[in-house]
Amino acid sequence: MSAVIEAHHDDHDHGPAKGITRWLYTTNHKDIGSMYLWFSFIMFLVGGVMALVIRAELFQPGLQFVEPALFNQMTTNHGLIMVFGAIMPAFVGLANWMVPLMIGAPDMALPRMNNLSFWILPFAFGMLLSTLFMESGGPNFGWTFYAPLSTTYAPDSVTYFIFAVHLAGASSIMGAINIIATILNMRAPGMTLMKMPMFVWTWLITAYLLIAVMPVLAGAVTMMLFDIHFGTSFFDASGGGDPVLFQHVFWFFGHPEVYIMILPAFGIVSHIISTFSRKPLFGYDSMVYATSSIAFLSFIVWAHHMFTVGMPLAGELFFMYATMLIAVPTGVKVFNWVSTMWRGSMTFETPMLFALAFIFLFTIGGFSGLMLAIAPADFQYHDTYFVVAHFHYVLVSGALFSIFGAVYFWLPKWTGHMYNEGLGKLHFWLSFIGVNVAFFPMHFSGLAGMPRRIPDYALQFADFNAWSTVGAFVFGISQLLFLWILVQTIRAGQKATTEVWEGSEGLEWTVPSPAPYHTFAEPPKVA
Amino acid sequence: MTDHHAGNEAYYVPHDSKLPVWLALGLIMFMYGFGSSLNANADGSDASTFLTWAGFGVIGVTLYVWFSTVIKENHAGLASAQLKRSYVWGMGWFIFSEVMFFAAFFGALYYVRNFAVPWLGGEGEKGMAGQYLWPSFSPEWATGTNPSEYRPGPAETMAAPALGSSWLSYLPFWNTAILLFSSFTIHWAHTGLKAGKRAMLTGWLAFTVLLGIIFLFLQVEEYIHAYEALGLTLESGIYGSTFFILTGFHGFHVTLGTFMLAMCLVRVLRGHFSPEDHFGFEACSWYWHFVDVVWMGLFIFVYIF
Amino acid sequence: MMSKLSSIARTVLATLCVFAGAAAVAAEYNMPVGVTDVSREIQELHMTIFWICVVIGVLVFGAMLVSMVLHRKSLGATPATFHESTKLELLWTVIPIVILVVMALPATDVLVKIYDTGGEDMVVEVRGYQWKWQYKYLDEELNEQVSFFSNLATPRGQILGQSEKGENYLLEVDNELVIPTDTKVRFLLTSNDVIHSWWVPDFGLKRDAIPGFINEAWANVKEPGVYRGQCTELCGKDHGFMPVVVRVVPKAEFQQWYAAQLEASATEALAMAN
Ligand code: HEA
Ligand code: HEA
Ligand code: CUA
Ligand SMILES: [Cu+2]
């Protein structure tokens, strides 16, 4: 017989505590999940405002709004905040909410550490943002912070930046450990590994990636710290080091990092496509193998970000071939999704729209990724807006769209309320149009020769940039609509049913909506 | 519904806890304070020093309370077999993350030795760098010189002497022996614990802690020697950089490990741990073995080769 | 049903081709063909890969659109129940691998060629500074013969919008790098401070300039002209304001120019010595 043991003995089904302490002291995976999600949404708005500053400055040639020094801080912090503050915590929030529900566990394996992982983040990002108000200005060396621009030539605030990365990394590692322990140890009886929902699978693999590479990032910033404050010469040729060493260490982290931001998205999309096609996911097993292959390959492709640093030819070739290979397992996933839809019975609610747009636009981003992987061609693309176009297609219309989809998909389960479908669709279409108008022209400005990370540009890039800016503002402002939809749903949405969606499949749809504060005190049996 | 002392499959969900927020707060105080102290450099502002230590204090107290809570829950029989498995997974993957942290520094060492330094010394596919920019730099490892004359290299390095009797006066050799031996002593302590032989447990555990302390003492000796006699410092170029970051972080981990084992010793003396249930002890011993393995890597790649 | 399907597929294909074709044709929307063999080969490679991606895209998106159009609940579609096929999985693993090999072969060729820096006719050192370039013409023993800095020449007023922007806004310098046509010029790139990157799109040449290290690259330009590029590695505040301008002139003209430079630097050296 199984049961939940409560540390305190009085009431048997206690709900959440009252007031602010509920959030400060909670050990409940749903509360912590909600906090992660809200935190990431706030960070998304903050990072988004920085993007709008960038886009406003780039609307026309010439310097209009910000000085180059501030522009660089905007670019840097936009990248950092979107990656570490918005996308990653959003996925961790979704994992917190959904993994226990999906595997029939009462909570995460280590609930107190779970709360610690979360609460580190607001402090860490508070520290990072505070650097923008310091005398020296904030980090201005790009989110990839290449040495020696980020060491010898960095503003004083770099020390706080380094420690913020340390803290965010520690938070991620703890979160990942928690997720692994939960998945491996807390599954309901009968739920074998190969019966796990795809989202759980993708997160399991993502968690391994996190544990493997976040410490390497910590190592990279630690070496920076030593070069800056303790006189070492890791990244300084005059003492026998090499600036390129920094890039190798950074990208050993950085490339798996981009898959950390896409694998959970693959999981989400698998659920949504299958639900609204009313068909089981095609090729479940091959999805698992493909995800694992992507994760494996992600460790041996890092130097495709460094084709122009002048690696020896053999290295250049190796990294080109290995990178190209990633198209194969990724293709398997795309084909499986299409086959899942094939001869299904599809409906097009908001989550499905986001999932379909994901497949469409992520694949386009994947194609441009493949073009970048061709080393000689990358000599032309590298550090131009072609790269910026590539990664916004995979990150915004990829990772971010999957998060939007996931929120619409599970919001009824979280809140017990249905969102307004009409407004949801409006949000989708505005976002879809905004994203494409903002980022598609970047392919052209990149091919035409516009470098990234510049506050001003030559006249031939003017039209593309004007379009991008218009699209960015459309996209950005439609996110305020999203905020409004969320608030509306929570406050006054219609009651949602237990199943919520007609074709829904999985344990999370067997508990009432909203999911009670404590679920699965008794582990469900999985056939 | 809540069956308090259910069998194996029981879940344990702790109720609200103040500990995590406090720990997060302590961490940020510490980091912010430490960061400001580093930036202040010369004038070393009092406020930042205070913040650093206050943060340190908060971290220490919180961790103390946290571990006491877990131990108390354990003694009260609240921790289910499942929760214990989660601790095992947790510790295992935590150690793996530490391995990857060291991997970054080992990777850096590998890179500079096989690529950067030869290139700067005019050898290899990109030797043009040395031929054109640093014609007088010789790429021998361990480097006694640096590409730029403005960065004086060490007079001598820590490289191992040729095999033979001189090894007896070579400190790292003794340090290796000590750490290797300590892996056995901690294992014997564990054996004693499992067999219910408390004296054996206490004795070998105490001895392991002692070995840890001796190791640290010798390591400090060696650092003083490096700084004062050899001129081998953090500032003396890439050899010093890799040497100190690897041995330094290792030493830091030994310090932590020794402290953890000392805490285990205290708990043993208080009668904690049973032959069946002693993951707290096991986790510390895993950690100790890990610290040992890292040292073997260090000894081979930093000192010998 | 089949005919409807294929007609949809054909329409989709045709539409996409028109779009893609239009994009490919209009040069301002595409990678420049450039003026060296390497840049031309890169551009061809780029187009090959692009078209392969277009075809795959048409197939994948086509299938997706077909099922979105036909297999919808509102049309009364009932869901099928199939959910795996080892044969299909194998097929769509093997075929992409074959396609990738087809892409990798020409890519390898071009890359090997780019890396062949030997057999040069002259050597120029390119050195990045925050925020300008320095060019040094070297002799066979790599001794410096002529050297000068190359700064942005666009007036501040144009940048701040106080005066009208010129044709080569932000892409003009005080001293251009001058090289002869039909000459294999070997570049040694390095930097004095942070990492910069020297890029001339029309040469298909972009390589990082890394402090303390040397990167090698080469170009052999057939057509005289002025070619403009920019620093492409974030190098601090004025990263956006350190353009690269190369003037390629016929050999004879270059000799003349170079002789004048040599003389000028000799008199300068003399002046310094006195
Ligand atoms: C979610 C994030 C994400 C994802 C998923 C990817 C996916 C890929 N990326 Fe991307 N990438 C980034 C985020 C991401 N990237 C970021 C942030 C940067 C810039 C960092 C910076 O410098 O700031 C970057 C930069 C970047 C570069 C460096 C460019 C440069 O700076 O010069 C390269 C080069 O190889 C690259 C390649 C790829 C490849 C090959 C894939 C592949 O995984 C794509 C695979 C998918 C497909 C190919 C489509 C689907 C497949 C099929 C339909 C099958 C059939 C297809 C074929 C056989 C062709 N990426
Ligand atoms: C995961 C990631 C992610 C996301 C979601 C985005 C989102 C966006 N990004 Fe991107 N971006 C990166 C990751 C991401 N980005 C990275 C890694 C870089 C590289 C950085 C570097 O070079 O170092 C980059 C760089 C980058 C550049 C290049 C900068 C340069 O090279 O100088 C540009 C330029 O247009 C850009 C634009 C945008 C835009 C318009 C959005 C939009 O999608 C944003 C839309 C959102 C909003 C606009 C918010 C809505 C809010 C409001 C409307 C206001 C409400 C305000 C309050 C209530 C206070 N980004
Ligand atoms: Cu020099 Cu960018
Ligand atoms: Cu990558």
Side-chain angles (χ1 to χ4, degrees):
Chain A
M1 195 53 242
S2 314
V4 170
I5 303 175
E6 289 293 345
H8 62 158
H9 299 202
D10 21 63
D11 52 348
H12 49 267
D13 192 14
H14 71 133
K18 295 279 174 313
I20 180 78
T21 57
R22 162 178 179 183
W23 304 105
L24 287 176
Y25 303 154
T26 185
T27 49
N28 181 288
H29 73 104
K30 301 186 182 78
D31 283 352
I32 296 174
S34 304
M35 288 197 294
Y36 264 113
L37 287 168
W38 279 113
F39 172 77
S40 67
F41 191 62
I42 294 168
M43 284 294 122
F44 169 65
L45 293 184
V46 173
V49 169
M50 293 173 180
L52 293 187
V53 173
I54 295 172
R55 284 305 342 155
E57 178 56 54
L58 293 177
F59 182 54
Q60 284 182 340
L63 291 178
Q64 284 92 20
F65 304 106
V66 291
E67 285 297 309
L70 183 59
F71 183 90
N72 288 345
Q73 295 175 43
M74 287 295 114
T75 299
T76 306
N77 287 278
H78 163 68
L80 287 170
I81 285 180
M82 286 300 195
V83 169
F84 295 104
I87 302 292
M88 287 172 70
F91 280 134
V92 180
L94 291 170
N96 254 296
W97 252 103
M98 299 319 296
V99 167
L101 282 181
M102 286 179 151
I103 64 172
D107 207 302
M108 296 292 281
L110 303 162
R112 280 181 293 231
M113 190 171 85
N114 200 16
N115 191 25
L116 173 63
S117 311
F118 172 75
W119 275 107
I120 286 178
L121 286 182
F123 290 124
F125 282 90
M127 179 158 74
L128 181 64
L129 286 173
S130 75
T131 59
L132 290 174
F133 304 98
M134 290 177 184
E135 209 179 321
S136 65
N140 56 7
F141 28 64
W143 86 283
T144 52
F145 47 102
Y146 285 3
L149 186 62
S150 64
T151 53
T152 319
Y153 295 84
D156 278 350
S157 62
V158 65
T159 313
Y160 301 104
F161 156 82
I162 289 173
F163 286 149
V165 171
H166 275 127
L167 285 173
S171 156
S172 292
I173 291 170
M174 285 190 286
I177 289 176
N178 219 333
I179 287 168
I180 292 179
T182 309
I183 296 175
L184 293 184
N185 197 20
M186 309 264 292
R187 273 168 291 136
M191 180 165 293
T192 58
L193 284 179
M194 291 310 273
K195 275 189 192 154
M196 289 195 311
M198 194 48 68
F199 180 65
V200 179
W201 252 119
T202 52
W203 240 117
L204 180 63
I205 292 167
T206 304
Y208 282 119
L209 286 182
L210 277 169
I211 295 187
V213 301
M214 293 311 290
V216 176
L217 175 66
V221 290
T222 304
M223 287 188 262
M224 277 171 61
L225 186 77
F226 274 69
D227 268 14
I228 295 168
H229 288 295
F230 305 114
T232 53
S233 46
F234 289 105
F235 310 131
D236 180 357
S238 68
D242 185 350
V244 174
L245 167 62
F246 173 85
Q247 298 183 27
H248 281 290
V249 183
F250 177 84
W251 286 115
F252 184 85
F253 147 81
H255 186 80
E257 165 70 17
V258 308
Y259 291 101
I260 287 166
M261 292 188 285
I262 206 68
L263 294 186
F266 289 166
I268 292 166
V269 167
S270 302
H271 285 268
I272 297 179
I273 293 286
S274 145
T275 302
F276 295 97
S277 301
R278 294 169 180 74
K279 250 183 81 204
L281 181 64
F282 188 87
Y284 175 94
D285 295 16
S286 67
M287 285 298 216
V288 173
Y289 302 139
T291 313
S292 317
S293 319
I294 294 174
F296 168 76
L297 287 172
S298 75
F299 287 108
I300 54 165
V301 301
W302 74 86
H304 65 214
H305 296 273
M306 305 162 52
F307 283 140
T308 63
V309 299
M311 273 181 295
L313 180 61
E316 205 96 342
L317 287 172
F318 171 81
F319 286 109
M320 172 168 83
Y321 299 147
T323 304
M324 293 172 74
L325 270 185
I326 298 191
V328 176
T330 316
V332 168
K333 307 209 72 128
V334 172
F335 300 138
N336 280 337
W337 289 323
V338 176
S339 309
T340 306
M341 286 184 253
W342 192 258
R343 300 222 281 120
S345 169
M346 271 191 269
T347 50
F348 300 90
E349 288 86 345
T350 311
M352 182 63 160
L353 291 177
F354 275 109
L356 290 171
F358 172 96
I359 300 180
F360 203 71
L361 300 178
F362 168 80
T363 304
I364 291 181
F367 287 151
S368 57
L370 193 78
M371 298 172 77
L372 292 168
I374 309 293
D378 185 62
F379 289 154
Q380 293 285 48
Y381 309 133
H382 178 66
D383 265 334
T384 67
Y385 264 76
F386 192 80
V387 178
V388 180
H390 157 65
F391 67 74
H392 283 93
Y393 266 82
V394 282
L395 279 170
V396 179
S397 52
L400 185 62
F401 268 28
S402 84
I403 293 166
F404 287 155
V407 169
Y408 284 109
F409 190 49
W410 285 312
L411 193 62
K413 183 55 65 189
W414 301 336
T415 62
H417 294 167
M418 206 61 196
Y419 62 88
N420 180 319
E421 190 64 63
L423 287 183
K425 285 192 169 134
L426 181 65
H427 172 222
F428 167 77
W429 283 110
L430 286 174
S431 299
F432 183 80
I433 294 167
V435 146
N436 284 295
V437 176
F439 298 117
F440 204 75
M442 290 184 187
H443 291 109
F444 300 128
S445 46
L447 290 175
M450 175 164 164
R452 48 192 291 210
R453 296 164 166 169
I454 55 173
D456 191 7
Y457 49 82
L459 301 180
Q460 69 262 38
F461 312 127
D463 291 350
F464 301 132
N465 275 288
W467 277 110
S468 283
T469 300
V470 171
F473 274 83
V474 171
F475 181 76
I477 288 164
S478 44
Q479 304 324 314
L480 295 180
L481 174 62
F482 181 49
L483 178 61
W484 200 69
I485 296 174
L486 292 177
V487 175
Q488 274 293 106
T489 310
I490 294 167
R491 289 242 172 117
Q494 284 185 336
K495 285 228 90 41
T497 61
T498 296
E499 297 81 25
V500 183
W501 310 109
E502 191 187 38
S504 60
E505 195 87 37
L507 287 176
E508 77 262 40
W509 309 109
T510 64
V511 299
S513 306
Y517 198 58
H518 291 294
T519 34
F520 299 124
E522 307 274 341
K525 281 263 177 290
V526 180
Chain B
M1 216 181 106
T2 47
D3 177 3
H4 287 201
H5 297 278
N8 246 2
E9 287 302 317
Y11 292 129
Y12 171 66
V13 181
H15 62 100
D16 292 3
S17 168
K18 297 191 172 77
L19 294 165
V21 191
W22 276 101
L23 189 49
L25 189 69
L27 281 170
I28 195 70
M29 285 163 66
F30 177 72
M31 288 300 216
Y32 207 96
F34 187 42
S36 326
S37 315
L38 284 177
N39 277 357
N41 278 333
D43 42 295
S45 103
D46 294 340
S48 36
T49 316
F50 174 77
L51 197 59
T52 313
W53 285 107
F56 192 73
V58 173
I59 294 171
V61 172
T62 316
L63 281 179
Y64 180 80
V65 178
W66 195 321
F67 281 105
S68 318
T69 314
V70 172
I71 292 166
K72 256 182 243 146
E73 286 166 2
N74 228 351
H75 285 185
L78 290 169
S80 61
Q82 189 160 33
L83 180 63
K84 285 176 191 160
R85 276 205 305 277
S86 292
Y87 286 146
V88 175
W89 284 113
M91 190 66 196
W93 289 110
F94 168 65
I95 289 179
F96 176 66
S97 78
E98 292 269 47
V99 170
M100 292 309 292
F101 183 65
F102 277 98
F105 301 133
F106 276 109
L109 177 66
Y110 174 84
Y111 180 86
V112 292
R113 288 193 53 175
N114 290 288
F115 300 106
V117 168
W119 291 342
L120 290 168
E123 290 173 0
E125 203 159 329
K126 301 194 61 195
M128 195 64 204
Q131 292 158 29
Y132 187 61
L133 296 174
W134 315 104
S136 58
F137 175 58
S138 116
E140 253 82 300
W141 190 271
T143 49
T145 58
N146 286 314
S148 164
E149 64 202 71
Y150 297 111
R151 205 184 256 278
E156 222 180 301
T157 68
M158 281 289 172
L163 270 181
S165 59
S166 52
W167 270 51
L168 292 181
S169 59
Y170 184 48
L171 255 186
F173 167 72
W174 289 106
N175 262 344
T176 310
I178 289 169
L179 269 198
L180 264 186
F181 186 49
S182 78
S183 246
F184 286 96
T185 58
I186 191 71
H187 177 72
W188 292 330
H190 192 197
T191 315
L193 174 52
K194 279 193 291 195
K197 297 182 186 156
R198 298 297 283 196
M200 181 175 172
L201 164 64
T202 321
W204 283 124
L205 183 56
F207 195 63
T208 313
V209 174
L210 185 68
L211 287 176
I213 294 172
I214 296 176
F215 173 90
L216 286 170
F217 178 78
L218 291 181
Q219 195 72 348
V220 170
E221 253 325 279
E222 200 190 31
Y223 276 14
I224 294 175
H225 178 65
Y227 259 78
E228 293 186 346
L230 308 183
L232 175 63
T233 69
L234 277 168
E235 273 131 69
S236 60
I238 193 65
Y239 176 75
S241 306
T242 52
F243 174 80
F244 281 109
I245 205 147
L246 276 159
T247 56
F249 272 102
H250 175 263
F252 176 69
H253 282 73
V254 174
T255 313
L256 216 68
T258 308
F259 180 75
M260 281 157 68
L261 290 178
M263 285 300 115
C264 284
L265 184 60
V266 172
R267 292 184 63 192
V268 167
L269 293 175
R270 289 199 189 158
H272 291 197
F273 303 126
S274 68
E276 299 78 35
D277 186 7
H278 51 257
F279 184 66
F281 175 88
E282 241 183 314
C284 296
S285 80
W286 285 359
Y287 197 77
W288 193 251
H289 288 306
F290 150 73
V291 166
D292 232 32
V293 171
V294 172
W295 176 263
M296 290 318 294
L298 279 182
F299 187 57
I300 293 170
F301 293 112
V302 175
Y303 289 98
I304 300 187
F305 290 111
Chain C
M1 162 105 175
M2 236 20 235
S3 69
K4 188 174 170 193
L5 227 168
S6 68
S7 82
I8 293 179
R10 228 172 308 135
T11 328
V12 171
L13 201 124
T15 331
L16 274 175
C17 284
V18 169
F19 272 126
V25 170
E28 68 173 299
Y29 293 95
N30 206 349
M31 184 189 284
V33 176
V35 291
T36 63
D37 289 347
V38 165
S39 74
R40 261 187 284 274
E41 282 171 40
I42 290 179
Q43 210 270 351
E44 276 165 29
L45 195 57
H46 158 75
M47 288 319 290
T48 314
I49 313 262
F50 170 73
W51 282 115
I52 294 178
C53 288
V54 168
V55 172
I56 300 174
V58 167
L59 294 175
V60 174
F61 299 148
M64 215 172 122
L65 287 173
V66 168
S67 68
M68 279 164 65
V69 172
L70 299 182
H71 310 148
R72 40 171 73 215
K73 196 179 172 212
S74 54
L75 296 180
T78 47
T81 54
F82 64 84
H83 58 88
E84 60 186 354
S85 158
T86 314
K87 227 184 273 171
L88 275 178
E89 301 281 0
L90 264 177
L91 203 69
W92 61 48
T93 308
V94 173
I95 293 179
I97 293 181
V98 174
I99 298 176
L100 291 178
V101 173
V102 170
M103 295 178 176
L105 292 174
T108 307
D109 275 355
V110 180
L111 196 60
V112 169
K113 188 163 180 176
I114 292 174
Y115 264 70
D116 178 18
T117 50
E120 76 276 9
D121 306 310
M122 65 181 276
V123 188
V124 175
E125 184 199 308
V126 177
R127 189 180 279 261
Y129 288 74
Q130 279 179 326
W131 291 275
K132 61 193 170 211
W133 295 100
Q134 185 187 27
Y135 300 112
K136 292 184 191 167
Y137 293 76
L138 309 178
D139 64 13
E140 261 111 82
E141 273 75 53
L142 303 182
N143 295 315
E144 178 182 323
Q145 300 298 308
V146 169
S147 148
F148 54 85
F149 282 97
S150 177
N151 292 286
L152 176 75
T154 304
R156 188 92 189 130
Q158 289 190 14
I159 296 174
L160 295 177
Q162 292 149 354
S163 52
E164 186 154 356
K165 295 181 177 33
E167 186 197 356
N168 292 317
Y169 176 67
L170 293 188
L171 297 180
E172 51 205 341
V173 293
D174 50 3
N175 299 306
E176 297 156 348
L177 172 67
V178 181
I179 56 171
T181 51
D182 293 312
T183 307
K184 184 164 184 178
V185 186
R186 175 167 162 233
F187 296 102
L188 301 183
L189 298 112
T190 186
S191 162
N192 233 46
D193 35 52
V194 301
I195 302 179
H196 303 263
S197 191
W198 199 72
W199 184 31
V200 184
D202 281 319
F203 299 175
L205 193 170
K206 179 187 290 148
R207 202 55 63 83
D208 292 358
I210 298 167
F213 287 81
I214 292 289
N215 269 331
E216 298 180 55
W218 65 275
N220 189 341
V221 186
K222 304 276 179 305
E223 292 164 42
V226 179
Y227 303 103
R228 295 167 203 277
Q230 275 173 276
C231 174
T232 49
E233 181 61 60
L234 178 59
C235 51
K237 181 167 66 69
D238 284 346
H239 160 59
F241 304 93
M242 50 183 294
V244 173
V245 182
V246 185
R247 175 186 299 278
V248 182
V249 296
K251 273 184 183 162
E253 194 181 331
F254 176 77
Q255 292 307 343
Q256 249 175 1
W257 175 85
Y258 193 63
Q261 295 297 312
L262 274 176
E263 202 169 309
S265 65
T267 36
E268 199 178 311
L270 214 70
M272 294 275 275
N274 293 336

